[in-house]
Amino acid sequence: MSLHRGTVARYAVGSVGTGGFGTLPGLVLVYYLTDTLGVAALAAGLIVTLAKVWDVVVDPVIGAASDRDRAAHGTRRRLMIVGGVLLPVFFLLTFAVPPSLGSLAGAVWVLVAFLCAATAFSLFQVPYIALPAELTGSYDERTRLLTARVVVLTVAILAFGGGAPALRGPVPDEHAGYLLMGAVAGLVLGASLLVAAGVEGRVRRRDPGRAADGVPQPPEVATPDGATPGVLAHYRAGLAVLRTSPPFRALLSAFVLQALATGTMLAGAQYVATWVLDDEGAVTFLFAALVGPAVVFAPVWGRAARRIGKERAFAVASGVFLVAAAALVVMYWSPGVWVYAVVAVAGAAYAGLQSLPMAMLPDVVSHDAVTRGPGRAGTFSGLWTAGETTGFGLGTAVLATVLATTGYVESRAEAVVVQPDSAVLGIVLAFTLLPAALVAVSLVPLRRYPLRRTDIEAAHTAARTEEHRA
């Protein structure tokens, strides 16, 4: 059964929030710490990394809580709504450090506020990722759903990555500029999350009482004595998923390595604009070059997946991205407008790196539900979100380590500094050859991904047969 266009649209709107929160902090937060608050590069990287490590701790718990909610109430939206309400508040506070605070106090402020913002985001993101496997059992409809999501995601990355820093620029006072950026971005993030939180309600109103076509429904989540599982049980469930699902291990490994690659590039984009292209505002054009082609090519990768399979299309997109990223190293010796053209090639491939693994994940979840029983979708999504945020967080740590190793000079707002050539070279390597190498390594686990269209269609048919028998 085809998904209604309204359902697809409402689900896709959530990617305004996921794209914005995934992009903006990675792009500007370390730069805000090093070049406005005067925090040393390693400490700035540690702050962002700690928030991502916290995600690894909390996401499996949120995933299990989301599974309990769906088993008890038939919906995952309660946690999604809480996340949508809290995220704008803590996102604003992250960029609201008073100018009078010293570097150490400012660093602590940002750490606490960003930890709270990351928790609020996870309350939405974890159940959001679990939904595609439950909204439809169709291999192609999931591709359609996730392709629409990635089109919106890429537009959101462009809007937040290019537009939000542009809000900061015209304001003479750097601190006030970041505060304005945080307020506007936070409101947009929250609105997007709250719109998407109602997508399950839309499905039920259109067809009350119907489960997603061919998707097994989860049993009640409880221990044998009827008690709610403890925290350790959530982590044991996560380890069990990793141990018993080879397709998930392969897909997650490839995705985390690529998140590390793109996270490193994302964190380095503002530094490339400032110190390589010699224009702080050039970050807007870098994002336009990256995301403009991605908007166009997301449907192209969807068509490629239908023709040659999602896993093969994913490998092709990865190869194109790898070559484009490696070619950008020439900017160290010869920066110029040609950089934007090569970034555009990477952007075309980036659409595939985003849409295809996300379209493969619900296939993994539904195949697991048929072969091992339902009820683990939240655990899968919790692990996936934890892996994604870990990759992006470690990307920031990689950049910060490179900056510190190559002698990057941090500064307070309005101060004028000159970076050594070694630091500029480090910025270029972190933006080009390091991500290319990580994507190359990601192709190794991707080759071990075993599911094909025939496997998913067979599982879908088996699920529908079992449903009709019941």
Side-chain angles (χ1 to χ4, degrees):
M1 180 175 179
S2 296
L3 289 169
H4 190 267
R5 282 180 294 180
T7 300
V8 175
R10 191 158 191 164
Y11 182 78
V13 165
S15 286
V16 173
T18 61
F21 190 79
T23 299
L24 193 54
L27 176 64
V28 302
L29 191 53
V30 172
Y31 190 74
Y32 172 60
L33 287 161
T34 59
D35 285 52
T36 298
L37 302 183
V39 178
L42 274 180
L46 180 62
I47 287 171
V48 179
T49 302
L50 283 175
K52 302 304 182 182
V53 170
W54 171 243
D55 282 339
V56 176
V57 174
V58 76
D59 283 355
V61 178
I62 292 174
S66 178
D67 280 344
R68 287 199 306 272
D69 247 14
R70 186 166 188 268
H73 306 289
T75 178
R76 298 183 185 274
R77 70 173 175 233
R78 296 199 306 172
L79 293 180
M80 298 169 73
I81 291 172
V82 173
V85 170
L86 293 179
L87 180 59
V89 177
F90 293 119
F91 192 82
L92 171 62
L93 288 174
T94 300
F95 295 98
V97 178
S100 58
L101 289 184
S103 297
L104 177 59
V108 173
W109 176 300
V110 171
L111 174 61
V112 173
F114 191 53
L115 278 174
C116 293
T119 303
F121 178 69
S122 288
L123 289 172
F124 171 85
Q125 172 80 339
V126 172
Y128 178 71
I129 288 177
L131 289 179
E134 297 163 352
L135 293 176
T136 177
S138 168
Y139 180 91
D140 287 328
E141 281 299 291
R142 287 172 185 158
T143 301
R144 175 182 166 227
L145 182 68
L146 273 301
T147 297
R149 179 197 166 188
V150 170
V151 170
V152 175
L153 180 72
T154 50
V155 172
I157 291 172
L158 175 60
F160 280 90
L167 286 174
R168 170 197 64 189
V171 181
D173 180 81
E174 283 189 31
H175 289 274
Y178 276 107
L179 188 62
L180 174 63
M181 182 196 73
V184 174
L187 288 174
V188 175
L189 290 173
S192 161
L193 270 53
L194 291 174
V195 168
V199 69
E200 287 178 298
R202 179 183 179 88
V203 172
R204 283 197 302 276
R205 284 193 298 272
R206 284 185 52 79
D207 196 353
R210 183 184 69 83
D213 184 30
V215 180
Q217 301 304 298
E220 295 292 331
V221 179
T223 56
D225 61 359
T228 299
V231 172
L232 289 179
H234 303 324
Y235 295 108
R236 285 195 294 268
L239 292 174
V241 162
L242 288 173
R243 185 178 64 254
T244 59
S245 179
F248 184 68
R249 285 200 307 272
L251 184 61
L252 181 65
S253 297
F255 188 70
V256 168
L257 286 166
Q258 294 191 2
L260 178 57
T262 54
T264 303
M265 290 186 75
L266 180 66
Q270 182 66 76
Y271 292 93
V272 168
T274 303
W275 302 110
V276 181
L277 301 178
D278 202 26
D279 179 7
E280 188 177 70
V283 68
T284 297
F285 300 105
L286 281 175
F287 264 81
L290 177 69
V291 181
V295 174
V296 175
F297 274 83
V300 174
W301 290 116
R303 289 194 293 272
R306 287 190 290 272
R307 182 177 295 272
I308 65 174
K310 299 175 189 179
E311 70 291 339
R312 291 178 182 172
F314 186 23
V316 172
S318 302
V320 174
F321 187 89
L322 187 164
V323 172
L328 285 168
V329 73
V330 180
M331 77 170 73
Y332 176 72
W333 298 278
S334 181
V337 294
W338 67 268
V339 169
Y340 301 114
V342 180
V343 169
V345 175
Y350 179 70
L353 268 59
Q354 286 293 304
S355 63
L356 295 167
M358 290 302 300
M360 293 159 73
L361 177 61
D363 293 338
V364 171
V365 174
S366 65
H367 186 266
D368 179 81
V370 171
T371 57
R372 294 186 176 274
R376 302 205 298 177
T379 303
F380 276 105
S381 63
L383 287 171
W384 185 269
T385 303
E388 180 180 22
T389 53
T390 299
F392 277 112
L394 290 179
T396 303
V398 168
L399 174 71
T401 302
V402 171
L403 293 178
T405 303
T406 55
Y408 187 84
V409 180
E410 64 274 1
S411 62
R412 297 282 292 182
E414 312 300 337
V416 178
V417 298
V418 176
Q419 298 298 342
D421 289 342
S422 59
V424 177
L425 177 60
I427 291 168
V428 171
L429 292 177
F431 191 77
T432 61
L433 293 185
L434 280 177
L438 288 165
V439 172
V441 175
S442 76
L443 295 175
V444 176
L446 181 58
R447 290 186 63 184
R448 294 196 291 266
Y449 179 78
L451 297 182
R452 301 295 183 263
R453 174 191 290 271
T454 52
D455 300 308
I456 305 306
E457 291 176 343
H460 176 51
T461 301
R464 294 190 65 182
T465 301
E466 187 65 27
E467 182 181 314
H468 291 152
R469 287 176 180 172

